[in-house]
Coordinates of all heavy atoms in Angstrom, one line a residue:
M25 N 0.8 -1.2 0.0 CA 0.0 0.0 0.0 C 0.9 1.2 0.0 O 1.9 1.3 0.6 CB -0.9 0.0 1.2 CG -1.8 1.1 1.3 SD -2.9 1.0 2.7 CE -2.7 2.6 3.4
Q26 N 0.5 2.3 -0.7 CA 1.2 3.5 -0.8 C 1.0 4.2 0.5 O -0.1 4.6 0.9 CB 0.8 4.3 -2.0 CG 1.0 3.7 -3.3 CD 0.3 4.4 -4.4 OE1 -0.5 5.2 -4.2 NE2 0.8 4.1 -5.6
R27 N 2.1 4.5 1.2 CA 2.1 5.1 2.5 C 1.7 6.6 2.5 O 1.2 7.1 3.5 CB 3.4 4.9 3.3 CG 3.6 3.5 3.5 CD 4.9 3.3 4.3 NE 5.1 1.9 4.6 CZ 6.2 1.4 5.2 NH1 7.2 2.2 5.4 NH2 6.2 0.1 5.4
W28 N 1.9 7.2 1.4 CA 1.6 8.7 1.3 C 0.1 8.9 1.1 O -0.3 10.0 1.1 CB 2.4 9.4 0.2 CG 2.2 8.9 -1.1 CD1 1.3 9.4 -2.0 CD2 2.9 7.9 -1.8 NE1 1.4 8.7 -3.2 CE2 2.4 7.8 -3.1 CE3 4.0 7.0 -1.5 CZ2 2.9 6.8 -4.0 CZ3 4.4 6.1 -2.4 CH2 3.9 6.1 -3.6
I29 N -0.7 7.9 1.0 CA -2.1 8.0 1.0 C -2.6 8.6 2.3 O -3.5 9.4 2.3 CB -2.8 6.6 0.7 CG1 -2.5 6.2 -0.7 CG2 -4.3 6.7 0.9 CD1 -3.1 4.9 -1.1
K30 N -2.0 8.3 3.4 CA -2.3 8.9 4.7 C -2.0 10.4 4.7 O -2.8 11.1 5.2 CB -1.4 8.3 5.8 CG -1.8 7.0 6.3 CD -1.0 6.6 7.5 CE -1.4 5.3 8.2 NZ -0.6 5.0 9.3
V31 N -0.9 10.8 4.1 CA -0.6 12.2 4.0 C -1.7 12.9 3.1 O -2.1 14.0 3.4 CB 0.8 12.4 3.4 CG1 1.1 13.9 3.3 CG2 1.8 11.8 4.4
R32 N -2.0 12.3 2.0 CA -3.1 12.8 1.1 C -4.4 13.0 1.9 O -5.0 14.1 1.8 CB -3.3 11.9 0.0 CG -3.4 12.5 -1.4 CD -3.8 11.5 -2.5 NE -2.6 10.9 -3.0 CZ -2.5 9.6 -3.4 NH1 -3.6 8.9 -3.3 NH2 -1.4 9.2 -3.9
G33 N -4.8 12.0 2.6 CA -6.0 12.1 3.4 C -5.9 13.2 4.5 O -6.8 13.9 4.8
L34 N -4.7 13.3 5.1 CA -4.5 14.3 6.1 C -4.7 15.7 5.6 O -5.3 16.6 6.2 CB -3.1 14.2 6.7 CG -2.6 15.2 7.7 CD1 -3.4 15.1 9.0 CD2 -1.1 14.9 8.0
I35 N -4.2 15.9 4.4 CA -4.3 17.3 3.7 C -5.7 17.6 3.4 O -6.2 18.7 3.7 CB -3.4 17.3 2.4 CG1 -2.0 17.3 2.8 CG2 -3.7 18.5 1.6 CD1 -1.0 17.0 1.7
T36 N -6.5 16.6 2.8 CA -7.9 16.9 2.4 C -8.8 17.0 3.6 O -9.7 17.8 3.6 CB -8.3 15.8 1.5 OG1 -8.2 14.5 2.0 CG2 -7.6 15.9 0.1
T37 N -8.6 16.2 4.7 CA -9.5 16.3 5.8 C -9.3 17.6 6.6 O -10.2 18.0 7.3 CB -9.3 15.2 6.8 OG1 -7.9 15.1 7.2 CG2 -9.7 13.8 6.2
N38 N -8.2 18.3 6.4 CA -7.9 19.6 7.0 C -8.3 20.7 6.2 O -7.8 21.9 6.4 CB -6.5 19.7 7.5 CG -6.3 18.9 8.8 OD1 -6.9 19.2 9.8 ND2 -5.5 17.9 8.7
G39 N -9.0 20.5 5.1 CA -9.4 21.6 4.2 C -8.5 22.0 3.1 O -8.7 23.0 2.5
G40 N -7.5 21.2 2.9 CA -6.5 21.5 1.9 C -6.9 20.9 0.5 O -7.7 20.0 0.4
E41 N -6.2 21.4 -0.5 CA -6.4 20.9 -1.8 C -5.0 20.6 -2.5 O -4.1 21.4 -2.4 CB -7.1 22.0 -2.6 CG -7.2 21.7 -4.1 CD -7.7 22.9 -4.9 OE1 -8.2 23.8 -4.3 OE2 -7.6 22.8 -6.1
I42 N -4.9 19.4 -3.0 CA -3.6 19.0 -3.6 C -3.7 19.4 -5.1 O -4.6 18.9 -5.8 CB -3.4 17.4 -3.5 CG1 -3.3 17.0 -2.0 CG2 -2.2 17.0 -4.3 CD1 -3.3 15.6 -1.8
T43 N -2.8 20.3 -5.5 CA -2.8 20.8 -6.8 C -1.8 20.0 -7.7 O -2.1 19.9 -8.9 CB -2.4 22.3 -6.9 OG1 -1.1 22.5 -6.3 CG2 -3.5 23.1 -6.2
K44 N -0.8 19.4 -7.2 CA 0.2 18.7 -7.9 C 0.8 17.6 -7.0 O 1.1 17.9 -5.9 CB 1.2 19.6 -8.5 CG 2.2 18.9 -9.4 CD 3.2 19.9 -10.0 CE 4.3 19.2 -10.8 NZ 5.3 20.1 -11.2
E45 N 1.0 16.4 -7.5 CA 1.7 15.4 -6.8 C 2.7 14.8 -7.7 O 2.5 14.4 -8.8 CB 0.7 14.3 -6.4 CG 1.2 13.2 -5.6 CD 0.2 12.1 -5.2 OE1 -0.9 12.5 -5.1 OE2 0.6 11.0 -5.0
D46 N 4.0 14.7 -7.1 CA 5.1 14.2 -7.9 C 5.8 13.1 -7.1 O 6.4 13.4 -6.0 CB 6.0 15.3 -8.3 CG 7.1 14.9 -9.3 OD1 7.0 13.8 -9.8 OD2 8.1 15.7 -9.4
N47 N 5.7 11.8 -7.5 CA 6.4 10.7 -6.8 C 7.7 10.5 -7.4 O 7.9 10.2 -8.6 CB 5.5 9.4 -7.0 CG 6.1 8.3 -6.2 OD1 7.2 8.3 -5.7 ND2 5.4 7.2 -6.2
W48 N 8.8 10.8 -6.7 CA 10.2 10.7 -7.1 C 10.7 9.3 -7.0 O 11.8 9.0 -7.5 CB 11.1 11.7 -6.4 CG 10.7 13.1 -6.6 CD1 9.8 13.6 -7.5 CD2 11.3 14.2 -5.9 NE1 9.8 15.0 -7.3 CE2 10.7 15.4 -6.4 CE3 12.2 14.3 -4.9 CZ2 11.0 16.6 -5.9 CZ3 12.5 15.6 -4.4 CH2 11.9 16.7 -4.9
G49 N 10.0 8.4 -6.3 CA 10.4 7.0 -6.2 C 11.3 6.8 -5.0 O 11.5 7.6 -4.1
K50 N 11.8 5.6 -4.9 CA 12.6 5.1 -3.8 C 14.1 5.5 -4.0 O 14.6 5.2 -5.1 CB 12.5 3.6 -3.7 CG 13.1 3.0 -2.4 CD 12.9 1.5 -2.3 CE 13.4 1.0 -1.0 NZ 13.1 -0.4 -0.9
K51 N 14.6 6.2 -3.0 CA 16.0 6.7 -3.2 C 16.8 6.3 -1.9 O 16.2 6.2 -0.9 CB 16.0 8.3 -3.2 CG 15.1 8.9 -4.3 CD 15.8 8.8 -5.6 CE 15.0 9.6 -6.7 NZ 15.5 9.4 -8.0
K52 N 18.1 6.2 -2.1 CA 19.0 5.9 -1.0 C 19.2 7.3 -0.2 O 19.4 8.3 -0.8 CB 20.3 5.4 -1.4 CG 21.3 5.1 -0.3 CD 22.4 4.2 -0.8 CE 23.4 3.9 0.3 NZ 23.0 3.7 1.6
L53 N 19.0 7.2 1.1 CA 19.3 8.4 1.9 C 20.7 8.7 2.1 O 21.6 7.8 2.0 CB 18.6 8.1 3.3 CG 17.1 7.9 3.3 CD1 16.7 7.5 4.7 CD2 16.4 9.2 2.9
A54 N 21.1 9.9 2.3 CA 22.5 10.3 2.5 C 23.0 9.8 3.8 O 24.2 9.5 3.9 CB 22.6 11.9 2.5
Y55 N 22.1 9.6 4.7 CA 22.5 9.0 6.0 C 21.3 8.3 6.6 O 20.2 8.5 6.2 CB 23.0 10.1 7.0 CG 22.0 11.2 7.2 CD1 21.1 11.2 8.2 CD2 22.1 12.4 6.4 CE1 20.2 12.3 8.4 CE2 21.2 13.4 6.5 CZ 20.3 13.3 7.5 OH 19.4 14.4 7.7
T56 N 21.5 7.4 7.5 CA 20.5 6.6 8.1 C 19.5 7.4 9.0 O 20.0 8.2 9.8 CB 21.0 5.4 8.9 OG1 21.9 4.7 8.1 CG2 20.0 4.5 9.5
I57 N 18.2 7.3 8.8 CA 17.2 8.0 9.6 C 16.3 6.9 10.1 O 15.7 6.2 9.4 CB 16.4 9.0 8.7 CG1 17.3 10.0 8.1 CG2 15.4 9.7 9.6 CD1 16.6 11.0 7.1
K58 N 16.2 6.9 11.4 CA 15.3 5.9 12.1 C 15.6 4.5 11.6 O 14.7 3.8 11.3 CB 13.9 6.3 12.0 CG 13.5 7.6 12.6 CD 12.0 7.9 12.4 CE 11.6 9.3 13.0 NZ 10.2 9.6 12.7
R59 N 16.8 4.2 11.5 CA 17.3 2.8 11.0 C 16.9 2.5 9.6 O 16.7 1.4 9.2 CB 16.8 1.7 12.0 CG 17.4 1.9 13.3 CD 17.0 0.8 14.2 NE 17.6 1.0 15.6 CZ 17.0 0.5 16.6 NH1 15.9 -0.1 16.6 NH2 17.6 0.8 17.8
E60 N 16.6 3.5 8.8 CA 16.2 3.3 7.4 C 17.3 3.9 6.5 O 17.8 5.0 6.7 CB 14.9 4.1 7.1 CG 13.7 3.5 7.8 CD 13.2 2.2 7.3 OE1 13.5 1.8 6.2 OE2 12.5 1.5 8.1
D61 N 17.6 3.1 5.4 CA 18.6 3.6 4.5 C 18.0 4.1 3.2 O 18.7 4.8 2.4 CB 19.6 2.4 4.1 CG 20.4 2.0 5.3 OD1 20.8 2.9 6.1 OD2 20.7 0.8 5.5
F62 N 16.8 3.7 2.9 CA 16.1 4.1 1.7 C 14.7 4.7 2.1 O 14.2 4.4 3.2 CB 15.8 2.9 0.8 CG 17.0 2.3 0.2 CD1 17.8 1.4 0.8 CD2 17.4 2.8 -1.1 CE1 18.9 0.9 0.2 CE2 18.6 2.3 -1.7 CZ 19.3 1.3 -1.0
A63 N 14.2 5.6 1.2 CA 12.9 6.2 1.5 C 12.3 6.5 0.1 O 12.9 6.7 -0.9 CB 13.1 7.5 2.3
V64 N 10.9 6.7 0.1 CA 10.2 7.1 -1.0 C 10.0 8.6 -0.9 O 9.4 9.0 0.1 CB 8.8 6.3 -1.1 CG1 8.0 6.9 -2.3 CG2 9.1 4.8 -1.3
Y65 N 10.4 9.3 -1.9 CA 10.2 10.8 -1.9 C 9.0 11.1 -2.7 O 8.8 10.7 -3.8 CB 11.4 11.4 -2.6 CG 12.7 11.4 -1.8 CD1 13.4 10.3 -1.5 CD2 13.1 12.6 -1.2 CE1 14.6 10.3 -0.8 CE2 14.3 12.7 -0.5 CZ 15.0 11.5 -0.3 OH 16.1 11.5 0.5
V66 N 8.1 11.9 -2.1 CA 6.9 12.4 -2.7 C 6.8 13.9 -2.5 O 6.9 14.3 -1.4 CB 5.6 11.6 -2.2 CG1 4.4 12.1 -2.9 CG2 5.8 10.1 -2.4
C67 N 6.5 14.6 -3.6 CA 6.4 16.1 -3.4 C 4.9 16.5 -3.7 O 4.4 16.1 -4.8 CB 7.3 16.7 -4.4 SG 7.2 18.5 -4.4
F68 N 4.3 17.2 -2.8 CA 3.0 17.6 -3.0 C 3.0 19.2 -3.1 O 3.6 19.8 -2.4 CB 2.1 17.3 -1.8 CG 1.8 15.8 -1.6 CD1 2.4 15.1 -0.7 CD2 0.8 15.2 -2.4 CE1 2.2 13.8 -0.5 CE2 0.5 13.9 -2.2 CZ 1.2 13.1 -1.3
E69 N 2.2 19.7 -4.1 CA 1.9 21.1 -4.1 C 0.5 21.2 -3.6 O -0.4 20.6 -4.2 CB 2.0 21.7 -5.5 CG 3.5 21.9 -5.9 CD 3.6 22.6 -7.2 OE1 2.6 23.3 -7.6 OE2 4.7 22.5 -7.8
V70 N 0.2 22.0 -2.5 CA -1.1 22.0 -1.9 C -1.5 23.5 -1.6 O -0.6 24.4 -1.5 CB -1.1 21.3 -0.6 CG1 -0.8 19.8 -0.8 CG2 -0.1 21.8 0.4
K71 N -2.8 23.7 -1.5 CA -3.3 24.9 -1.1 C -4.0 24.6 0.3 O -4.8 23.7 0.3 CB -4.4 25.5 -2.1 CG -3.7 25.9 -3.4 CD -4.8 26.5 -4.3 CE -4.1 27.0 -5.6 NZ -5.1 27.5 -6.5
L72 N -3.6 25.3 1.3 CA -4.1 25.1 2.7 C -4.6 26.3 3.3 O -4.0 27.4 3.1 CB -2.9 24.6 3.6 CG -2.3 23.2 3.2 CD1 -1.1 23.0 4.1 CD2 -3.3 22.1 3.5
P73 N -5.7 26.2 4.1 CA -6.0 27.3 5.0 C -5.0 27.4 6.1 O -4.3 26.5 6.5 CB -7.4 26.8 5.5 CG -7.5 25.4 5.3 CD -6.6 25.0 4.2
A74 N -4.9 28.6 6.6 CA -3.8 28.9 7.6 C -3.9 28.0 8.8 O -2.8 27.5 9.3 CB -3.9 30.4 8.0
P75 N -5.0 27.8 9.4 CA -5.1 26.9 10.6 C -4.7 25.5 10.4 O -4.2 24.8 11.3 CB -6.5 27.0 11.1 CG -7.2 28.1 10.4 CD -6.4 28.3 9.1
A76 N -4.8 25.0 9.2 CA -4.5 23.6 8.9 C -3.0 23.4 8.9 O -2.6 22.2 9.1 CB -5.1 23.2 7.5
L77 N -2.2 24.4 8.6 CA -0.8 24.2 8.6 C -0.2 23.6 9.8 O 0.6 22.6 9.8 CB -0.1 25.5 8.2 CG 1.4 25.5 7.9 CD1 1.6 24.7 6.7 CD2 1.9 26.9 7.7
L78 N -0.6 24.2 11.0 CA -0.1 23.7 12.2 C -0.6 22.3 12.6 O 0.2 21.4 13.0 CB -0.5 24.6 13.4 CG 0.1 24.3 14.8 CD1 1.6 24.3 14.8 CD2 -0.4 25.3 15.8
K79 N -1.8 22.0 12.2 CA -2.4 20.6 12.5 C -1.6 19.6 11.7 O -1.3 18.5 12.2 CB -3.9 20.6 12.1 CG -4.8 21.4 13.0 CD -6.2 21.3 12.6 CE -7.1 22.2 13.4 NZ -8.5 22.2 12.8
I80 N -1.4 19.9 10.4 CA -0.7 19.0 9.5 C 0.7 18.8 10.0 O 1.2 17.6 10.1 CB -0.8 19.4 8.1 CG1 -2.2 19.3 7.5 CG2 0.2 18.7 7.2 CD1 -2.4 19.9 6.2
S81 N 1.4 19.8 10.3 CA 2.8 19.8 10.8 C 2.9 18.9 12.1 O 3.7 18.0 12.2 CB 3.3 21.1 11.1 OG 4.6 21.1 11.6
N82 N 2.0 19.1 13.0 CA 2.0 18.3 14.3 C 1.7 16.8 14.0 O 2.3 16.0 14.6 CB 1.0 18.9 15.2 CG 1.4 20.2 15.9 OD1 2.5 20.6 15.8 ND2 0.4 21.0 16.3
T83 N 0.8 16.5 13.1 CA 0.5 15.2 12.8 C 1.6 14.5 12.1 O 1.9 13.3 12.3 CB -0.8 15.1 11.9 OG1 -1.9 15.8 12.6 CG2 -1.2 13.7 11.6
L84 N 2.3 15.2 11.1 CA 3.4 14.6 10.4 C 4.6 14.3 11.4 O 5.4 13.4 11.2 CB 3.9 15.5 9.3 CG 2.9 15.6 8.1 CD1 3.5 16.6 7.1 CD2 2.7 14.3 7.4
N85 N 4.7 15.2 12.4 CA 5.8 14.9 13.4 C 5.7 13.6 14.1 O 6.7 13.0 14.5 CB 5.8 16.0 14.4 CG 6.6 17.3 14.0 OD1 7.5 17.2 13.1 ND2 6.2 18.4 14.5
I86 N 4.4 13.1 14.4 CA 4.2 11.9 15.1 C 3.9 10.7 14.2 O 3.7 9.6 14.7 CB 3.1 12.1 16.2 CG1 1.8 12.5 15.6 CG2 3.6 13.2 17.2 CD1 0.6 12.5 16.6
T87 N 3.8 10.9 12.9 CA 3.5 9.8 12.0 C 4.8 9.0 11.7 O 5.8 9.5 11.3 CB 3.0 10.4 10.7 OG1 1.8 11.1 10.9 CG2 2.6 9.2 9.7
D88 N 4.7 7.7 12.0 CA 5.9 6.8 11.9 C 6.4 6.7 10.5 O 7.5 6.5 10.2 CB 5.6 5.5 12.5 CG 5.5 5.5 14.0 OD1 6.1 6.4 14.6 OD2 4.8 4.6 14.6
E89 N 5.4 6.7 9.5 CA 5.8 6.4 8.1 C 6.5 7.6 7.5 O 7.2 7.5 6.5 CB 4.5 6.2 7.3 CG 3.9 4.8 7.6 CD 2.9 4.9 8.6 OE1 2.6 6.0 9.2 OE2 2.3 3.9 9.0
V90 N 6.4 8.8 8.1 CA 7.1 10.0 7.5 C 8.4 10.2 8.3 O 8.4 10.5 9.4 CB 6.2 11.2 7.7 CG1 6.9 12.5 7.2 CG2 4.9 11.0 7.0
L91 N 9.5 10.0 7.5 CA 10.8 10.2 8.1 C 11.2 11.7 8.3 O 11.6 12.2 9.3 CB 11.9 9.5 7.3 CG 11.8 8.0 7.2 CD1 12.9 7.5 6.3 CD2 11.8 7.4 8.5
R92 N 11.0 12.5 7.2 CA 11.2 13.9 7.2 C 10.2 14.5 6.3 O 9.7 13.9 5.3 CB 12.6 14.2 6.5 CG 13.8 13.7 7.4 CD 14.1 14.6 8.5 NE 15.3 14.4 9.2 CZ 15.5 13.5 10.2 NH1 14.4 12.9 10.7 NH2 16.6 13.3 10.8
Y93 N 9.9 15.8 6.5 CA 9.0 16.6 5.7 C 9.5 18.0 5.7 O 10.2 18.5 6.6 CB 7.6 16.4 6.1 CG 7.3 17.1 7.4 CD1 6.8 18.4 7.4 CD2 7.4 16.5 8.6 CE1 6.5 19.1 8.6 CE2 7.2 17.1 9.8 CZ 6.7 18.4 9.8 OH 6.4 19.0 11.0
L94 N 9.1 18.8 4.7 CA 9.4 20.2 4.6 C 8.2 20.9 4.1 O 7.7 20.5 3.0 CB 10.6 20.4 3.7 CG 11.0 21.8 3.5 CD1 11.5 22.4 4.8 CD2 12.1 21.9 2.4
L95 N 7.6 21.9 4.8 CA 6.5 22.7 4.3 C 7.1 24.0 3.9 O 7.8 24.7 4.8 CB 5.5 22.8 5.4 CG 4.8 21.5 5.9 CD1 4.0 21.8 7.1 CD2 4.0 20.9 4.9
V96 N 6.8 24.5 2.7 CA 7.3 25.7 2.2 C 6.2 26.6 1.7 O 5.4 26.1 0.9 CB 8.4 25.5 1.1 CG1 8.9 26.7 0.5 CG2 9.5 24.6 1.6
K97 N 6.2 27.8 2.0 CA 5.2 28.8 1.5 C 5.8 29.4 0.2 O 6.9 29.9 0.3 CB 4.9 29.8 2.5 CG 3.8 30.8 2.0 CD 3.5 31.9 3.1 CE 2.6 32.9 2.5 NZ 2.3 33.9 3.5
T98 N 5.1 29.4 -0.9 CA 5.6 30.0 -2.1 C 4.9 31.3 -2.3 O 3.8 31.6 -1.9 CB 5.3 29.1 -3.3 OG1 3.9 28.9 -3.4 CG2 6.0 27.8 -3.2
D99 N 5.7 32.2 -3.0 CA 5.2 33.5 -3.3 C 4.5 33.4 -4.7 O 5.1 33.0 -5.7 CB 6.4 34.5 -3.4 CG 6.0 35.9 -3.8 OD1 4.8 36.3 -3.4 OD2 6.8 36.6 -4.4
E100 N 3.2 33.8 -4.7 CA 2.4 33.6 -6.0 C 2.9 34.5 -7.1 O 2.9 34.1 -8.2 CB 1.0 33.8 -5.7 CG 0.3 32.7 -4.8 CD 0.4 31.4 -5.5 OE1 0.3 31.2 -6.7 OE2 0.7 30.4 -4.8
K101 N 3.4 35.7 -6.8 CA 3.9 36.6 -7.8 C 5.1 35.9 -8.5 O 5.2 36.0 -9.7 CB 4.2 37.9 -7.3 CG 3.0 38.7 -6.9 CD 3.4 40.1 -6.4 CE 2.2 40.9 -5.9 NZ 2.6 42.2 -5.3
T102 N 6.0 35.4 -7.7 CA 7.2 34.8 -8.3 C 6.9 33.5 -9.1 O 7.4 33.3 -10.2 CB 8.2 34.4 -7.1 OG1 8.5 35.6 -6.3 CG2 9.5 33.8 -7.7
R103 N 6.0 32.8 -8.6 CA 5.5 31.6 -9.3 C 4.9 31.9 -10.6 O 5.2 31.3 -11.6 CB 4.5 30.8 -8.4 CG 3.8 29.7 -9.2 CD 3.0 28.9 -8.3 NE 3.8 27.8 -7.9 CZ 3.5 26.8 -7.1 NH1 2.4 26.9 -6.4 NH2 4.2 25.8 -6.9
Q104 N 4.1 33.0 -10.7 CA 3.5 33.4 -11.9 C 4.5 33.9 -12.9 O 4.5 33.5 -14.1 CB 2.5 34.6 -11.6 CG 1.9 35.2 -12.8 CD 0.5 34.6 -13.1 OE1 -0.1 33.9 -12.3 NE2 0.0 34.8 -14.3
A105 N 5.5 34.6 -12.4 CA 6.6 35.1 -13.3 C 7.4 34.0 -13.9 O 7.8 34.0 -15.0 CB 7.5 36.1 -12.5
L106 N 7.7 32.9 -13.0 CA 8.4 31.8 -13.5 C 7.7 31.0 -14.5 O 8.3 30.6 -15.5 CB 8.8 30.9 -12.3 CG 9.9 31.4 -11.4 CD1 10.0 30.5 -10.2 CD2 11.2 31.5 -12.1
S107 N 6.4 30.9 -14.4 CA 5.6 30.1 -15.3 C 5.5 30.9 -16.7 O 5.5 30.3 -17.7 CB 4.2 29.8 -14.8 OG 3.5 31.0 -14.6
E108 N 5.4 32.2 -16.6 CA 5.4 33.0 -17.8 C 6.7 32.9 -18.6 O 6.8 32.8 -19.8 CB 5.0 34.5 -17.5 CG 3.6 34.7 -17.1 CD 3.3 36.1 -16.6 OE1 4.2 36.9 -16.5 OE2 2.2 36.3 -16.2
Q109 N 7.8 33.0 -17.8 CA 9.1 32.9 -18.4 C 9.3 31.5 -19.0 O 9.9 31.4 -20.1 CB 10.2 33.1 -17.3 CG 11.6 33.0 -17.9 CD 12.0 34.1 -18.8 OE1 11.5 35.2 -18.7 NE2 12.8 33.8 -19.8
K110 N 8.9 30.4 -18.4 CA 9.0 29.1 -18.9 C 8.2 29.0 -20.2 O 8.7 28.4 -21.2 CB 8.5 28.1 -17.9 CG 8.6 26.7 -18.3 CD 8.2 25.7 -17.3 CE 8.2 24.3 -17.7 NZ 7.7 23.4 -16.7
A111 N 7.0 29.6 -20.3 CA 6.2 29.6 -21.5 C 6.9 30.3 -22.6 O 6.9 29.9 -23.8 CB 4.8 30.2 -21.2
R112 N 7.5 31.5 -22.3 CA 8.2 32.2 -23.3 C 9.4 31.4 -23.9 O 9.7 31.4 -25.1 CB 8.7 33.6 -22.8 CG 7.6 34.6 -22.7 CD 8.2 36.0 -22.5 NE 8.9 36.1 -21.2 CZ 8.3 36.5 -20.1 NH1 7.1 36.9 -20.0 NH2 9.1 36.6 -19.0
N113 N 10.1 30.8 -23.0 CA 11.3 30.0 -23.4 C 10.8 28.8 -24.3 O 11.5 28.5 -25.3 CB 12.0 29.4 -22.2 CG 12.8 30.5 -21.4 OD1 13.0 31.6 -22.0 ND2 13.2 30.2 -20.2
E114 N 9.8 28.1 -23.9 CA 9.3 27.0 -24.7 C 8.8 27.5 -26.1 O 9.0 26.9 -27.1 CB 8.2 26.3 -24.0 CG 8.6 25.5 -22.8 CD 7.5 24.9 -22.0 OE1 6.3 25.2 -22.4 OE2 7.8 24.1 -21.1
E115 N 8.2 28.7 -26.1 CA 7.7 29.3 -27.4 C 8.9 29.6 -28.3 O 8.9 29.3 -29.5 CB 6.9 30.5 -27.1 CG 6.3 31.2 -28.3 CD 5.4 32.3 -27.9 OE1 4.4 32.2 -27.2 OE2 5.8 33.5 -28.3
S116 N 9.9 30.2 -27.7 CA 11.1 30.6 -28.5 C 11.9 29.3 -29.0 O 12.4 29.3 -30.1 CB 12.0 31.5 -27.7 OG 12.6 30.9 -26.6
D117 N 11.9 28.3 -28.1 CA 12.6 27.1 -28.6 C 11.9 26.4 -29.7 O 12.5 25.8 -30.6 CB 12.7 26.1 -27.4 CG 13.7 26.5 -26.3 OD1 14.5 27.4 -26.6 OD2 13.6 26.0 -25.2
S118 N 10.5 26.4 -29.7 CA 9.8 25.8 -30.7 C 9.9 26.6 -32.0 O 9.9 26.0 -33.1 CB 8.3 25.6 -30.3 OG 7.7 26.8 -30.2
S119 N 10.0 27.9 -31.9 CA 10.1 28.7 -33.2 C 11.5 28.5 -33.8 O 11.6 28.6 -35.0 CB 9.8 30.2 -32.9 OG 10.8 30.7 -32.0
E120 N 12.5 28.3 -32.9 CA 13.9 28.2 -33.4 C 14.0 26.8 -34.1 O 14.7 26.6 -35.1 CB 14.9 28.3 -32.3 CG 15.1 29.7 -31.9 CD 16.1 29.8 -30.7 OE1 16.7 28.8 -30.3 OE2 16.2 30.9 -30.2
S121 N 13.4 25.8 -33.6 CA 13.5 24.4 -34.1 C 12.7 24.3 -35.4 O 13.0 23.4 -36.3 CB 13.0 23.4 -33.1 OG 11.6 23.5 -32.9
S122 N 11.7 25.1 -35.7 CA 11.0 25.1 -36.9 C 11.6 25.8 -38.1 O 11.2 25.7 -39.2 CB 9.5 25.6 -36.7 OG 9.6 27.0 -36.4
K123 N 12.7 26.5 -37.8 CA 13.4 27.2 -38.9 C 14.2 26.3 -39.7 O 14.8 25.4 -39.5 CB 14.3 28.3 -38.3 CG 13.5 29.5 -37.7 CD 14.4 30.5 -37.2 CE 13.6 31.7 -36.7 NZ 14.5 32.8 -36.2

């Protein structure tokens, strides 16, 4: 069973929405954590209400299946600018390849 299903459920039950999920697969850890040498890396992009952040963080701290986690707040203006830049780069690449 996929263990990150618990994390998915934790996010949705606290009023969050998963916008993107990226499973990086099983990787060797740089050092042993809780007697584990390998772990499955999964990256979620989520939208959360402010009160849910602390609840999710506290739950992940005591969840045995989660070795490490990182919650990062992104700046929407920067994200928008990066996506626009990426679209322009792809557009220019496709026009150069068609010449």
Side-chain angles (χ1 to χ4, degrees):
M25 183 175 127
Q26 297 172 341
R27 293 181 176 173
W28 61 90
I29 291 176
K30 280 187 178 181
V31 176
R32 224 187 272 144
L34 177 64
I35 292 167
T36 55
T37 56
N38 283 295
E41 173 189 346
I42 299 172
T43 57
K44 184 179 175 186
E45 180 179 334
D46 191 12
N47 182 355
W48 297 352
K50 189 174 185 178
K51 306 279 185 187
K52 183 164 177 33
L53 298 172
Y55 54 91
T56 303
I57 303 173
K58 297 181 183 175
R59 299 184 181 150
E60 296 288 338
D61 293 325
F62 290 87
V64 176
Y65 286 70
V66 181
C67 180
F68 291 103
E69 285 186 19
V70 298
K71 293 183 180 180
L72 293 172
L77 188 63
L78 184 60
K79 290 178 187 176
I80 290 173
S81 179
N82 289 340
T83 305
L84 290 175
N85 277 333
I86 61 172
T87 303
D88 290 333
E89 289 90 0
V90 177
L91 297 177
R92 294 283 191 268
Y93 69 93
L94 178 66
L95 299 173
V96 179
K97 180 180 177 184
T98 59
D99 181 30
E100 288 302 320
K101 289 181 183 178
T102 305
R103 171 175 261 176
Q104 177 94 17
L106 286 173
S107 65
E108 290 172 1
Q109 181 66 35
K110 184 177 178 183
R112 283 194 297 265
N113 288 344
E114 289 174 355
E115 184 178 296
S116 67
D117 289 344
S118 66
S119 66
E120 288 178 5
S121 64
S122 65
K123 288 183 179 180

